[in-house]
Amino acid sequence: MNTTRNIILQFFFLISGFISPLLAQNNQLRAYTLEDGLPQSQVYDIIQDETGYLWLGTQGGGLCRFNGEEFKIWNENDGLQSNYIHSLAFVSDSLFIGTKSGLSIKTKNKFTNINGPRINKICQIKNKIYLATNIGVYEYRKNRGLIKINLNPKINTSVINDITFDNKLFWIVTNKGLWKLNNIQKDASIIERHSPFDFTAAIFYNNKIFAASFDHGILVLNTNAKTYGNRWIKKVTRVTNISKHNNNELWFATDNDGITIIDSELYEQKKKIDRNNGLGVSHIRKTIMDRQSNIWIATSGGGFYKYFQNNFTHYDQNNGLKGNHVYAVHSIKNDIWASNPEIGLIKIDSLGIIHHIPQDERISEVKIKTITSDTFGNIWAGTDGKGILFKQIKQVTDSIITDTITDSNRLNEDPVVMTDTITKTTYKNHIIDTDKGLPSDWIRTIQVVNNTIWVASYSSGISRFKYNPKKQTLISLKKFTRKDGIEDLQIRDMKQDYDGTIWYATQNGHLGYIKDNKVTHLGNVLNQKTAISTLLFHKNTIYIGTAGRGIWWSPLNGDIKFKKLKGRKRPYSDNIYQMIFDSNNNLWAGSERGVDKIELNQSNVIVDIFHFGRNDGFLGMETSLNAIDKDKEGNLWFGAIYGLTKYQPTGITKTTVKPELYFEDVEVAYSSVDSIQLSTWVNNKKVLKLTPKQTELSFSYKTVDLDHPNDVQYRWRLNSSAWSPWSPDNKQNLAGLAYGAHYFSAQSRNYRWEESDIITFRFFIDSPVYEKLWFQLTVIGLIILITGGYGFSYIRRVKQKNKVEQERLQMQNHLLSLEQKALRLQMNPHFIFNALNGIKAMGTSNPIRMNTTINTFATLLRETLYNSRKDYITLGQEMQTLKHYIEIEQLMASKPFIYDISIESDYDPEEILIPPMLIQPFVENAVRHGILKGTRDGELKIQFHTTEEFLHCTILDNGQGIFQSQKNKAKTDHQSMALTVTRERLESISGKDSLIIKEIQNGNSVTGTQISFKIPLLTDY
């Protein structure tokens, strides 16, 4: 009876609405196809090099390298032997490429091609390279190329698919059986052909050989037992490759059934990965695990896939959605409601089953941008241009037949019919639009507060109402528009805070709220013209996400002042489309690049950021505006342009791996250094020797992060200089380097800011000959020797010259001294001659006056004779001698005159030195030829003053003027030698033009003569 009831219940569920037959699986697959840049969809081999790049061999597309984001391709045009590649292997620093035409060896960017048969597998065993080909086993030797190894006629003509080694014996996998040999060489003994079937692959793991037969399954041979045994796993056939991943898992790639994962100990199937899990094709060529624990799947016809652990479950058109773009998400009870573009609503129940809700014809082909619910479970959905879809929930009870009982003893009686009742949930659709009073049919968002409906339109403001479903009318409609205080009507989001206040944000960056029917418009709260895309309230704090300016926050208590959300790390994008807090108080932000989980401290400072993009399982990528919610289990639901994604926080989070940094290339003068193997030179004492002209170097270095290829940053330094700032640049050019030893260091960090080990490359730039120490010392020695010889000779010549010059100067000084004395001897007789003539004239006219004059003259004569023997006397002595001389002239003069001798100096007259009898000739000329010949009462002034370097003397008289006196002297034929002698004397002391003589004029008349000169100031200390 119970079985019948269950069948009937399922039937009712099926006829109540279309239920998607597909369950959304966490398929953990990310496809890379031709659209991503892959040159060919048939990928026959895939390997990872030591740097972290993936290398893919394709059928027809050649060779390509993948860094997690971009492909670099090499084909026949680049020197590759064939575009049809069957196997790849790395040997030292070279890539061995097995093609349909033989072997290609890629060393750096150079290909070496060796013709041969098709190579199915390249195996490096015991430092030898064996090639499994279509016509037997070959060995590659560097100096001899490909050498066929003659083992056995059957092996030599077989298709060799694989070779493996169990540390004792070699196992050769052929289309004619599985062969066991003690060695691979000409004289090797064939121990056994273990099985005659067509074998395609083999692996040695955990002391067992697992060999795949194309039609018979997997043969398991125990190599550490007395007998190998003969156990078969029959359920896995048509295997193309066997790989070991995770713990004791063997991954069998098949050409018709995807991947089968077998427990290597229990031989039980653990999982299948096929079309039902998201693979586009069933033909799988190989699987490998990279260093970040991702598993990569190479397929024939479907490109290749990334398989990885994550916490995301993704829904799109491949597993149940009718469209990829999800505009709105809402959680109610145990269900998730979402909207597809122009297709309507979907519901995902607690089992993950997708239910497509029939679209109401009145809103067909209309986008639903917002979904919410009220306390009764009714659905409210806002549309673009058709108003609001109100889905009124109804519970319908039906009776159903569960069983029919017939009593065989009572054939004439009717059977007993057993019935039961079931309750079914249905919805009645209501359309609320402008015809019913709604201000606008373009609905941005809806909020339900205690059965009161708040609706924000695109550009018509906010309205509030209650709805009567029976009468299908709006009740208590209230509109809030510009006249009510909403200054910017282009609303982007509307949310309710914890005390029931309705907040709104606008396209132009304005923020406001409605409380008690009053609008408070806060204006442009960021003072920036940027749209506020989303609002969020958490723990009495408001968060706003902007279009291009990141996330801002402000406490709600007190004044609203926003601060930008900052910390050691930044969100991966500043275009914030959606925000939500999870159960652990982590802030999630959706953008065009995926989602960020942001850890905050109590001060709202970013502590850490975890980014999730396509490579991390968030396949929806660009998120939709405010299409985000959290269900009652704490799972987060994100609507995006490529589907609907569920995040389960309790799931396993993939751990990050410390980044590894490698030098990719070193260029000297723009040419790669191909002569060295870079891996052996890094962090080594080896030093690259360069010539003096090789001062330009370029270093390329790389960290390959297949999960976050665009989020790796680098820094570098030369020698012990400071580190450069972190940047995405992974190449550094250095020019004009100094001669000598250098070392270049680089470091990388991944998106989690985990830093790699520092790598260092050492090089030495040799200096030119002229820079070498021995050469410089030799040149310096020669220069010193030559300079010393020349200097010695020069010093001898200078000394000799100085000696001659010194003797000449001594002679010149002696002559000058004699000349000075001669000048004084010329002047003194002249003075005495004039004085005696004056005394003689007094003899007859005034004998008494003559007697006084003779006494004064005797005193003057003694002073003159005394001073004439000296080169210098004090200015005081000179002034005393001048006083005595002037008094004699006053006694002999025919008319009276007065005189004044003054000095203006910081020095005492007794400290200043002056040549004797230097001033007397000018005084005599002023008295005799100026004052005595003039018509006015005579006045004579003698003035001295000093400067820092000179002693100045000025002699003034009020006589007839020197020039008139000279004319008169010419008429009388009287020639005075005083001025001539004294001028020559001054020129020998002070130089040319040191004497200035001029007449003093008052208008057109001459009122006297001024004589001035200067001599170097000398003192006696």
Side-chain angles (χ1 to χ4, degrees), residues 153 165 398 422 458 622 715 892 1004:
F165 181 62
D398 287 336
I422 63 171
Y458 278 68
E622 184 171 350
R715 65 177 182 174
M892 293 189 301
N1004 294 326

Side-chain angles (χ1 to χ4, degrees), residues 37 369 394 432 495 610 631 636 657 688 816 963 982 1002:
K369 291 293 189 66
K394 289 183 175 293
I432 304 172
K495 290 286 195 313
F610 296 83
D631 63 24
L636 304 182
V657 178
L688 180 65
L816 183 61
F963 302 124
T982 307
N1002 185 7

Side-chain angles (χ1 to χ4, degrees), residues 579-618:
M579 295 188 298
I580 197 170
F581 274 91
D582 63 18
S583 301
N584 296 319
N585 289 320
N586 297 314
L587 175 63
W588 290 73
S591 67
E592 81 282 4
R593 298 185 62 185
V595 293
D596 292 337
K597 184 178 77 170
I598 305 173
E599 293 183 0
L600 303 175
N601 62 16
Q602 294 181 349
S603 301
N604 261 341
V605 175
I606 297 175
V607 176
D608 206 349
I609 294 179
F610 296 83
H611 177 70
F612 301 94
R614 293 193 70 181
N615 288 340
D616 306 289
F618 190 81

Side-chain angles (χ1 to χ4, degrees), residues 143-158:
N143 298 326
R144 298 180 60 187
L146 297 184
I147 303 172
K148 185 169 184 179
I149 303 175
N150 294 314
L151 297 172
N152 176 278
K154 289 185 178 181
I155 297 178
N156 295 340
T157 57
S158 296

Side-chain angles (χ1 to χ4, degrees), residues 635-649:
N635 303 315
L636 304 182
W637 294 81
F638 304 93
I641 64 173
Y642 296 116
L644 177 65
T645 299
K646 170 187 173 182
Y647 179 79
Q648 188 174 358

Side-chain angles (χ1 to χ4, degrees), residues 538-555:
H538 182 70
K539 292 185 177 180
N540 205 33
T541 301
I542 180 174
Y543 297 84
I544 59 175
T546 66
R549 299 288 183 177
I551 303 173
W552 299 70
W553 65 278
S554 172

Side-chain angles (χ1 to χ4, degrees), residues 91 175 196 245 363 373 530 592 602 616 655 676 679 760 765 981:
V91 180
N175 65 335
H245 303 315
I363 57 171
S373 60
T530 180
E592 81 282 4
Q602 294 181 349
D616 306 289
T655 58
I676 64 174
S679 60
T760 300
I765 302 176
V981 173

